[in-house]
Amino acid sequence: QSRLCMSSPSSPKPNNGFPTRDYHVAADPHCRRHERKTCSFANMYLLLGTAGTWFLFDIVFYGNIIFTPFILEKVFAIDEFHPNKLAIAGYSVIIYLCALPGIYLSSYVADSWGRKKLQIVGFSACALIFAFLSVRLHNLSENWLFVLYLLTFFFYNFGPNSTTFCLPAETFDANVRTFFNGVSAACGKAGAVVGAAIFKYILDEHGLSSVVVWCSIICVFGVVLTLVAVVDKRGQSLDDEFDDELRLDVDDHPRSSVSELELT
């Protein structure tokens, strides 16, 4: 819901036989209080959690998604000048099929675990897998490398890919929710741009080992940011605080002086 604060109407004017009223925006205390609340320290801190974790996750997620064929070439030592496109396509299908159970399982446990815990589990598992790969990358067989790469996609979906877009909707109050949801989503897309821009360069210039090291570091930052700046609102009504504020506003501003136009 969004609201416009209006002053008292002026005298009615005829409009094809129907009376209308002229409204003009008033310098109402509620409007100023709403602006202050939107930019409050509490909301900025919560935004760090929702937007920051979405930004970090999309760096790793889209970096791996977009450049999966190139990563598979490195894992299976496929000739990049004469690649077996059918083999790469087959491996890619297997990867995305293994990601599906993560989505279904996360939807099953999201309400009982809470999205904060689910996001921590996903980030932590990916950080550990990438850290293990960075140490044992050259000592593992192709099959084991592929299995571990599959697990990262499972934990993307059993974790941040199922939570980052939900957290803004349940974190912020109803009267600022849409705005901060949009800001968080924009930060996520910025992370996707960063991942798409740097992953191929790191892969070509420094090799697959550097890619997995950076993925692990980013996931660790995601864990830390989730722990300190993401709230768990399980069992709480998402509209209670907004309803209480609305009742206070009505008490502070009688209808004789201020009208509120509800847009739903």
Side-chain angles (χ1 to χ4, degrees), residues 137-192:
L137 183 63
H138 302 293
N139 299 321
L140 293 171
S141 66
E142 293 178 353
N143 290 334
W144 275 111
L145 285 174
F146 186 58
V147 168
L148 290 172
Y149 192 58
L150 289 177
L151 282 176
T152 63
F153 277 82
F154 172 84
F155 283 107
Y156 288 156
N157 292 289
F158 186 69
N161 200 36
S162 300
T163 58
T164 48
F165 66 90
C166 295
L167 282 172
E170 68 179 28
T171 298
F172 297 101
D173 294 342
N175 53 343
V176 295
R177 185 174 298 155
T178 302
F179 173 75
F180 285 115
N181 203 335
V183 173
S184 300
C187 289
K189 302 317 156 204

Short mmCIF file of all heavy atoms in Angstrom, two decimals, residues 137-192:
data_model
loop_
_atom_site.label_atom_id
_atom_site.label_comp_id
_atom_site.label_asym_id
_atom_site.label_seq_id
_atom_site.Cartn_x
_atom_site.Cartn_y
_atom_site.Cartn_z
N LEU A 137 42.29 -28.91 -6.23
CA LEU A 137 41.85 -28.82 -7.62
C LEU A 137 42.65 -29.73 -8.55
O LEU A 137 42.09 -30.41 -9.41
CB LEU A 137 41.93 -27.37 -8.10
CG LEU A 137 41.43 -27.10 -9.52
CD1 LEU A 137 39.94 -27.40 -9.63
CD2 LEU A 137 41.69 -25.64 -9.91
N HIS A 138 43.96 -29.75 -8.40
CA HIS A 138 44.82 -30.49 -9.33
C HIS A 138 45.05 -31.93 -8.89
O HIS A 138 45.76 -32.67 -9.58
CB HIS A 138 46.17 -29.76 -9.46
CG HIS A 138 46.03 -28.35 -9.94
ND1 HIS A 138 45.59 -28.04 -11.21
CD2 HIS A 138 46.26 -27.16 -9.31
CE1 HIS A 138 45.56 -26.72 -11.34
NE2 HIS A 138 45.96 -26.17 -10.21
N ASN A 139 44.44 -32.32 -7.78
CA ASN A 139 44.61 -33.70 -7.30
C ASN A 139 43.34 -34.52 -7.42
O ASN A 139 43.34 -35.70 -7.03
CB ASN A 139 45.06 -33.69 -5.82
CG ASN A 139 46.40 -32.99 -5.64
OD1 ASN A 139 47.29 -33.13 -6.47
ND2 ASN A 139 46.52 -32.23 -4.56
N LEU A 140 42.29 -33.92 -7.90
CA LEU A 140 41.02 -34.62 -8.03
C LEU A 140 40.80 -35.06 -9.47
O LEU A 140 41.23 -34.39 -10.42
CB LEU A 140 39.86 -33.70 -7.60
CG LEU A 140 39.80 -33.34 -6.11
CD1 LEU A 140 38.73 -32.27 -5.90
CD2 LEU A 140 39.49 -34.56 -5.26
N SER A 141 40.10 -36.19 -9.61
CA SER A 141 39.77 -36.66 -10.95
C SER A 141 38.69 -35.77 -11.56
O SER A 141 38.03 -35.00 -10.86
CB SER A 141 39.27 -38.10 -10.89
OG SER A 141 38.03 -38.17 -10.19
N GLU A 142 38.51 -35.88 -12.86
CA GLU A 142 37.48 -35.09 -13.55
C GLU A 142 36.10 -35.36 -12.96
O GLU A 142 35.28 -34.44 -12.81
CB GLU A 142 37.51 -35.41 -15.04
CG GLU A 142 38.77 -34.95 -15.76
CD GLU A 142 38.75 -35.33 -17.22
OE1 GLU A 142 37.81 -36.07 -17.63
OE2 GLU A 142 39.64 -34.89 -17.96
N ASN A 143 35.82 -36.62 -12.66
CA ASN A 143 34.49 -36.98 -12.14
C ASN A 143 34.22 -36.32 -10.79
O ASN A 143 33.12 -35.81 -10.55
CB ASN A 143 34.37 -38.49 -12.01
CG ASN A 143 34.31 -39.18 -13.37
OD1 ASN A 143 33.89 -38.57 -14.36
ND2 ASN A 143 34.73 -40.42 -13.42
N TRP A 144 35.23 -36.32 -9.90
CA TRP A 144 35.04 -35.70 -8.59
C TRP A 144 34.91 -34.18 -8.71
O TRP A 144 34.14 -33.56 -7.99
CB TRP A 144 36.19 -36.06 -7.66
CG TRP A 144 35.99 -37.36 -6.97
CD1 TRP A 144 36.68 -38.52 -7.16
CD2 TRP A 144 35.00 -37.65 -5.98
NE1 TRP A 144 36.19 -39.52 -6.36
CE2 TRP A 144 35.15 -39.01 -5.62
CE3 TRP A 144 33.99 -36.92 -5.37
CZ2 TRP A 144 34.35 -39.64 -4.68
CZ3 TRP A 144 33.18 -37.53 -4.42
CH2 TRP A 144 33.36 -38.87 -4.08
N LEU A 145 35.66 -33.60 -9.62
CA LEU A 145 35.52 -32.15 -9.85
C LEU A 145 34.10 -31.82 -10.31
O LEU A 145 33.50 -30.84 -9.86
CB LEU A 145 36.53 -31.69 -10.91
CG LEU A 145 37.99 -31.58 -10.48
CD1 LEU A 145 38.87 -31.25 -11.68
CD2 LEU A 145 38.15 -30.49 -9.42
N PHE A 146 33.59 -32.65 -11.18
CA PHE A 146 32.25 -32.41 -11.71
C PHE A 146 31.20 -32.58 -10.61
O PHE A 146 30.25 -31.79 -10.52
CB PHE A 146 31.97 -33.37 -12.87
CG PHE A 146 30.68 -33.11 -13.58
CD1 PHE A 146 30.42 -31.88 -14.16
CD2 PHE A 146 29.70 -34.10 -13.68
CE1 PHE A 146 29.22 -31.63 -14.83
CE2 PHE A 146 28.52 -33.86 -14.33
CZ PHE A 146 28.27 -32.63 -14.91
N VAL A 147 31.37 -33.59 -9.74
CA VAL A 147 30.43 -33.81 -8.65
C VAL A 147 30.41 -32.61 -7.70
O VAL A 147 29.34 -32.13 -7.28
CB VAL A 147 30.78 -35.10 -7.88
CG1 VAL A 147 30.00 -35.19 -6.58
CG2 VAL A 147 30.50 -36.32 -8.75
N LEU A 148 31.59 -32.10 -7.35
CA LEU A 148 31.66 -30.95 -6.46
C LEU A 148 31.07 -29.71 -7.11
O LEU A 148 30.42 -28.89 -6.44
CB LEU A 148 33.11 -30.70 -6.05
CG LEU A 148 33.72 -31.76 -5.12
CD1 LEU A 148 35.20 -31.51 -4.93
CD2 LEU A 148 33.01 -31.76 -3.77
N TYR A 149 31.29 -29.56 -8.41
CA TYR A 149 30.69 -28.43 -9.13
C TYR A 149 29.17 -28.55 -9.13
O TYR A 149 28.45 -27.55 -8.99
CB TYR A 149 31.24 -28.39 -10.55
CG TYR A 149 30.94 -27.12 -11.30
CD1 TYR A 149 31.35 -25.89 -10.81
CD2 TYR A 149 30.24 -27.14 -12.51
CE1 TYR A 149 31.09 -24.72 -11.50
CE2 TYR A 149 29.97 -25.98 -13.20
CZ TYR A 149 30.41 -24.78 -12.70
OH TYR A 149 30.13 -23.61 -13.38
N LEU A 150 28.66 -29.78 -9.24
CA LEU A 150 27.21 -30.00 -9.15
C LEU A 150 26.68 -29.58 -7.78
O LEU A 150 25.61 -28.98 -7.67
CB LEU A 150 26.88 -31.48 -9.39
CG LEU A 150 27.04 -32.05 -10.79
CD1 LEU A 150 26.72 -33.53 -10.77
CD2 LEU A 150 26.13 -31.33 -11.77
N LEU A 151 27.43 -29.91 -6.73
CA LEU A 151 26.99 -29.57 -5.37
C LEU A 151 26.87 -28.07 -5.16
O LEU A 151 25.99 -27.61 -4.43
CB LEU A 151 27.96 -30.16 -4.35
CG LEU A 151 27.83 -31.66 -4.07
CD1 LEU A 151 28.92 -32.11 -3.11
CD2 LEU A 151 26.45 -32.00 -3.52
N THR A 152 27.75 -27.30 -5.79
CA THR A 152 27.63 -25.84 -5.65
C THR A 152 26.30 -25.36 -6.21
O THR A 152 25.66 -24.48 -5.62
CB THR A 152 28.79 -25.11 -6.35
OG1 THR A 152 28.76 -25.37 -7.77
CG2 THR A 152 30.13 -25.53 -5.79
N PHE A 153 25.86 -25.93 -7.31
CA PHE A 153 24.58 -25.51 -7.88
C PHE A 153 23.41 -25.96 -7.02
O PHE A 153 22.39 -25.27 -6.93
CB PHE A 153 24.43 -26.04 -9.31
CG PHE A 153 25.12 -25.18 -10.33
CD1 PHE A 153 26.48 -25.31 -10.56
CD2 PHE A 153 24.42 -24.23 -11.05
CE1 PHE A 153 27.13 -24.51 -11.49
CE2 PHE A 153 25.05 -23.43 -11.98
CZ PHE A 153 26.41 -23.56 -12.20
N PHE A 154 23.56 -27.11 -6.37
CA PHE A 154 22.52 -27.54 -5.44
C PHE A 154 22.40 -26.54 -4.30
O PHE A 154 21.29 -26.11 -3.93
CB PHE A 154 22.83 -28.93 -4.90
CG PHE A 154 21.90 -29.36 -3.80
CD1 PHE A 154 20.67 -29.93 -4.11
CD2 PHE A 154 22.24 -29.19 -2.46
CE1 PHE A 154 19.80 -30.32 -3.09
CE2 PHE A 154 21.38 -29.58 -1.45
CZ PHE A 154 20.15 -30.14 -1.77
N PHE A 155 23.54 -26.12 -3.72
CA PHE A 155 23.50 -25.22 -2.57
C PHE A 155 23.24 -23.76 -2.97
O PHE A 155 22.89 -22.96 -2.11
CB PHE A 155 24.78 -25.34 -1.76
CG PHE A 155 24.82 -26.57 -0.89
CD1 PHE A 155 25.63 -27.65 -1.22
CD2 PHE A 155 24.01 -26.67 0.22
CE1 PHE A 155 25.66 -28.78 -0.44
CE2 PHE A 155 24.01 -27.80 1.02
CZ PHE A 155 24.84 -28.86 0.69
N TYR A 156 23.45 -23.42 -4.24
CA TYR A 156 22.96 -22.11 -4.69
C TYR A 156 21.45 -22.03 -4.44
O TYR A 156 20.93 -21.03 -3.93
CB TYR A 156 23.19 -21.90 -6.19
CG TYR A 156 24.61 -21.69 -6.61
CD1 TYR A 156 25.02 -21.99 -7.91
CD2 TYR A 156 25.57 -21.19 -5.73
CE1 TYR A 156 26.31 -21.80 -8.32
CE2 TYR A 156 26.87 -20.99 -6.14
CZ TYR A 156 27.24 -21.30 -7.44
OH TYR A 156 28.54 -21.11 -7.85
N ASN A 157 20.76 -23.11 -4.85
CA ASN A 157 19.30 -23.10 -4.79
C ASN A 157 18.77 -23.49 -3.42
O ASN A 157 17.70 -23.04 -3.01
CB ASN A 157 18.74 -24.04 -5.86
CG ASN A 157 18.98 -23.52 -7.26
OD1 ASN A 157 18.38 -22.54 -7.69
ND2 ASN A 157 19.90 -24.15 -7.99
N PHE A 158 19.52 -24.34 -2.70
CA PHE A 158 19.17 -24.62 -1.32
C PHE A 158 19.89 -23.58 -0.46
O PHE A 158 20.72 -23.88 0.38
CB PHE A 158 19.60 -26.03 -0.92
CG PHE A 158 19.14 -26.42 0.47
CD1 PHE A 158 17.79 -26.63 0.72
CD2 PHE A 158 20.04 -26.59 1.50
CE1 PHE A 158 17.36 -26.99 2.00
CE2 PHE A 158 19.62 -26.96 2.77
CZ PHE A 158 18.28 -27.15 3.02
N GLY A 159 19.56 -22.34 -0.70
CA GLY A 159 20.24 -21.24 -0.04
C GLY A 159 19.92 -19.90 -0.71
O GLY A 159 18.75 -19.59 -0.95
N PRO A 160 20.94 -19.13 -1.05
CA PRO A 160 20.72 -17.74 -1.46
C PRO A 160 19.81 -17.55 -2.67
O PRO A 160 19.09 -16.56 -2.73
CB PRO A 160 22.14 -17.24 -1.78
CG PRO A 160 23.04 -18.12 -1.00
CD PRO A 160 22.38 -19.46 -0.96
N ASN A 161 19.83 -18.48 -3.62
CA ASN A 161 18.98 -18.29 -4.79
C ASN A 161 17.50 -18.43 -4.47
O ASN A 161 16.64 -18.01 -5.26
CB ASN A 161 19.36 -19.29 -5.90
CG ASN A 161 18.88 -18.86 -7.26
OD1 ASN A 161 18.87 -17.67 -7.58
ND2 ASN A 161 18.48 -19.81 -8.08
N SER A 162 17.19 -19.00 -3.30
CA SER A 162 15.80 -19.13 -2.86
C SER A 162 15.42 -18.10 -1.81
O SER A 162 14.25 -18.00 -1.44
CB SER A 162 15.54 -20.53 -2.30
OG SER A 162 15.78 -21.53 -3.26
N THR A 163 16.39 -17.36 -1.30
CA THR A 163 16.12 -16.46 -0.18
C THR A 163 16.35 -14.99 -0.49
O THR A 163 15.64 -14.14 0.05
CB THR A 163 17.01 -16.84 1.02
OG1 THR A 163 18.40 -16.76 0.63
CG2 THR A 163 16.72 -18.23 1.50
N THR A 164 17.32 -14.67 -1.34
CA THR A 164 17.68 -13.26 -1.53
C THR A 164 16.52 -12.42 -2.06
O THR A 164 16.38 -11.25 -1.68
CB THR A 164 18.88 -13.13 -2.48
OG1 THR A 164 18.67 -13.94 -3.65
CG2 THR A 164 20.17 -13.57 -1.80
N PHE A 165 15.70 -12.99 -2.92
CA PHE A 165 14.59 -12.22 -3.47
C PHE A 165 13.37 -12.20 -2.54
O PHE A 165 12.44 -11.42 -2.75
CB PHE A 165 14.19 -12.74 -4.86
CG PHE A 165 13.62 -14.13 -4.87
CD1 PHE A 165 12.26 -14.33 -4.74
CD2 PHE A 165 14.45 -15.23 -5.03
CE1 PHE A 165 11.73 -15.61 -4.75
CE2 PHE A 165 13.92 -16.52 -5.05
CZ PHE A 165 12.57 -16.70 -4.91
N CYS A 166 13.37 -13.07 -1.52
CA CYS A 166 12.27 -13.07 -0.54
C CYS A 166 12.54 -12.17 0.65
O CYS A 166 11.61 -11.59 1.23
CB CYS A 166 12.02 -14.49 -0.03
SG CYS A 166 11.46 -15.66 -1.28
N LEU A 167 13.80 -12.06 1.04
CA LEU A 167 14.14 -11.34 2.26
C LEU A 167 13.67 -9.88 2.29
O LEU A 167 13.15 -9.43 3.31
CB LEU A 167 15.65 -11.41 2.50
CG LEU A 167 16.16 -12.73 3.08
CD1 LEU A 167 17.68 -12.76 3.08
CD2 LEU A 167 15.62 -12.95 4.49
N PRO A 168 13.83 -9.09 1.21
CA PRO A 168 13.36 -7.71 1.29
C PRO A 168 11.87 -7.59 1.57
O PRO A 168 11.44 -6.68 2.29
CB PRO A 168 13.70 -7.13 -0.09
CG PRO A 168 14.81 -7.98 -0.61
CD PRO A 168 14.52 -9.35 -0.08
N ALA A 169 11.08 -8.52 1.04
CA ALA A 169 9.62 -8.45 1.22
C ALA A 169 9.22 -8.71 2.66
O ALA A 169 8.19 -8.19 3.12
CB ALA A 169 8.94 -9.45 0.29
N GLU A 170 10.00 -9.50 3.40
CA GLU A 170 9.63 -9.78 4.78
C GLU A 170 10.48 -9.03 5.79
O GLU A 170 10.24 -9.12 6.99
CB GLU A 170 9.72 -11.29 5.05
CG GLU A 170 11.11 -11.86 5.03
CD GLU A 170 11.11 -13.36 5.33
OE1 GLU A 170 10.10 -14.03 5.04
OE2 GLU A 170 12.13 -13.85 5.86
N THR A 171 11.45 -8.27 5.33
CA THR A 171 12.34 -7.54 6.24
C THR A 171 11.83 -6.15 6.54
O THR A 171 11.84 -5.69 7.69
CB THR A 171 13.76 -7.45 5.64
OG1 THR A 171 14.30 -8.77 5.49
CG2 THR A 171 14.67 -6.62 6.54
N PHE A 172 11.35 -5.45 5.51
CA PHE A 172 10.99 -4.04 5.67
C PHE A 172 9.51 -3.86 5.97
O PHE A 172 8.68 -4.70 5.59
CB PHE A 172 11.37 -3.26 4.40
CG PHE A 172 12.84 -3.26 4.11
CD1 PHE A 172 13.38 -4.12 3.17
CD2 PHE A 172 13.70 -2.42 4.80
CE1 PHE A 172 14.74 -4.14 2.90
CE2 PHE A 172 15.06 -2.42 4.55
CZ PHE A 172 15.58 -3.29 3.61
N ASP A 173 9.19 -2.75 6.63
CA ASP A 173 7.80 -2.41 6.90
C ASP A 173 7.04 -2.22 5.59
O ASP A 173 7.62 -1.86 4.56
CB ASP A 173 7.71 -1.13 7.73
CG ASP A 173 8.30 -1.32 9.12
OD1 ASP A 173 8.45 -2.48 9.54
OD2 ASP A 173 8.61 -0.31 9.78
N ALA A 174 5.73 -2.40 5.66
CA ALA A 174 4.92 -2.38 4.45
C ALA A 174 5.00 -1.04 3.72
O ALA A 174 4.94 -1.00 2.49
CB ALA A 174 3.47 -2.70 4.79
N ASN A 175 5.13 0.07 4.45
CA ASN A 175 5.10 1.37 3.79
C ASN A 175 6.41 1.75 3.11
O ASN A 175 6.47 2.76 2.42
CB ASN A 175 4.69 2.47 4.80
CG ASN A 175 5.54 2.46 6.04
OD1 ASN A 175 6.23 1.48 6.33
ND2 ASN A 175 5.50 3.54 6.80
N VAL A 176 7.47 0.95 3.29
CA VAL A 176 8.73 1.19 2.57
C VAL A 176 9.20 -0.06 1.84
O VAL A 176 10.27 -0.07 1.24
CB VAL A 176 9.85 1.67 3.54
CG1 VAL A 176 9.50 3.02 4.14
CG2 VAL A 176 10.10 0.64 4.64
N ARG A 177 8.40 -1.09 1.88
CA ARG A 177 8.82 -2.40 1.37
C ARG A 177 9.11 -2.38 -0.13
O ARG A 177 10.14 -2.92 -0.58
CB ARG A 177 7.72 -3.42 1.68
CG ARG A 177 8.08 -4.85 1.32
CD ARG A 177 6.99 -5.78 1.81
NE ARG A 177 6.88 -5.71 3.26
CZ ARG A 177 5.76 -6.01 3.92
NH1 ARG A 177 4.66 -6.34 3.26
NH2 ARG A 177 5.74 -5.94 5.22
N THR A 178 8.25 -1.78 -0.90
CA THR A 178 8.42 -1.78 -2.36
C THR A 178 9.71 -1.07 -2.76
O THR A 178 10.47 -1.55 -3.62
CB THR A 178 7.22 -1.11 -3.04
OG1 THR A 178 6.02 -1.79 -2.67
CG2 THR A 178 7.37 -1.15 -4.55
N PHE A 179 9.97 0.07 -2.13
CA PHE A 179 11.17 0.84 -2.47
C PHE A 179 12.44 0.03 -2.19
O PHE A 179 13.31 -0.10 -3.06
CB PHE A 179 11.19 2.14 -1.67
CG PHE A 179 12.45 2.94 -1.83
CD1 PHE A 179 12.70 3.65 -2.99
CD2 PHE A 179 13.40 2.96 -0.81
CE1 PHE A 179 13.87 4.38 -3.14
CE2 PHE A 179 14.58 3.68 -0.95
CZ PHE A 179 14.81 4.39 -2.12
N PHE A 180 12.54 -0.53 -0.99
CA PHE A 180 13.77 -1.24 -0.63
C PHE A 180 13.87 -2.59 -1.33
O PHE A 180 14.98 -3.09 -1.55
CB PHE A 180 13.84 -1.42 0.89
CG PHE A 180 14.20 -0.15 1.61
CD1 PHE A 180 13.31 0.45 2.47
CD2 PHE A 180 15.44 0.44 1.41
CE1 PHE A 180 13.65 1.62 3.14
CE2 PHE A 180 15.78 1.60 2.07
CZ PHE A 180 14.88 2.20 2.93
N ASN A 181 12.75 -3.16 -1.72
CA ASN A 181 12.79 -4.37 -2.53
C ASN A 181 13.42 -4.06 -3.89
O ASN A 181 14.26 -4.82 -4.39
CB ASN A 181 11.37 -4.93 -2.72
CG ASN A 181 11.38 -6.41 -3.05
OD1 ASN A 181 12.35 -6.94 -3.57
ND2 ASN A 181 10.28 -7.08 -2.76
N GLY A 182 13.02 -2.94 -4.48
CA GLY A 182 13.59 -2.54 -5.76
C GLY A 182 15.07 -2.23 -5.67
O GLY A 182 15.86 -2.61 -6.55
N VAL A 183 15.48 -1.54 -4.59
CA VAL A 183 16.90 -1.23 -4.42
C VAL A 183 17.71 -2.51 -4.25
O VAL A 183 18.79 -2.67 -4.84
CB VAL A 183 17.10 -0.31 -3.19
CG1 VAL A 183 18.59 -0.12 -2.90
CG2 VAL A 183 16.44 1.04 -3.42
N SER A 184 17.20 -3.45 -3.48
CA SER A 184 17.90 -4.72 -3.27
C SER A 184 18.04 -5.50 -4.58
O SER A 184 19.11 -6.05 -4.88
CB SER A 184 17.15 -5.57 -2.23
OG SER A 184 17.07 -4.92 -0.99
N ALA A 185 16.95 -5.53 -5.36
CA ALA A 185 17.00 -6.23 -6.65
C ALA A 185 18.00 -5.58 -7.59
O ALA A 185 18.73 -6.27 -8.31
CB ALA A 185 15.61 -6.26 -7.27
N ALA A 186 18.05 -4.25 -7.59
CA ALA A 186 19.01 -3.54 -8.45
C ALA A 186 20.45 -3.87 -8.06
O ALA A 186 21.31 -4.05 -8.93
CB ALA A 186 18.77 -2.03 -8.35
N CYS A 187 20.71 -3.98 -6.76
CA CYS A 187 22.04 -4.36 -6.31
C CYS A 187 22.38 -5.79 -6.75
O CYS A 187 23.53 -6.09 -7.10
CB CYS A 187 22.14 -4.25 -4.80
SG CYS A 187 22.15 -2.54 -4.20
N GLY A 188 21.38 -6.66 -6.74
CA GLY A 188 21.60 -8.01 -7.24
C GLY A 188 22.00 -8.02 -8.70
O GLY A 188 22.93 -8.74 -9.11
N LYS A 189 21.32 -7.21 -9.51
CA LYS A 189 21.66 -7.15 -10.94
C LYS A 189 23.04 -6.54 -11.15
O LYS A 189 23.76 -6.91 -12.08
CB LYS A 189 20.60 -6.36 -11.72
CG LYS A 189 19.19 -6.92 -11.58
CD LYS A 189 19.17 -8.45 -11.69
CE LYS A 189 17.96 -9.03 -11.01
NZ LYS A 189 18.17 -10.44 -10.60
N ALA A 190 23.40 -5.60 -10.28
CA ALA A 190 24.76 -5.05 -10.36
C ALA A 190 25.79 -6.14 -10.09
O ALA A 190 26.84 -6.20 -10.74
CB ALA A 190 24.91 -3.90 -9.36
N GLY A 191 25.49 -7.02 -9.13
CA GLY A 191 26.38 -8.14 -8.87
C GLY A 191 26.49 -9.08 -10.06
O GLY A 191 27.57 -9.60 -10.37
N ALA A 192 25.37 -9.29 -10.76
CA ALA A 192 25.40 -10.13 -11.96
C ALA A 192 26.30 -9.53 -13.04
O ALA A 192 27.05 -10.24 -13.71
CB ALA A 192 23.97 -10.30 -12.50
#
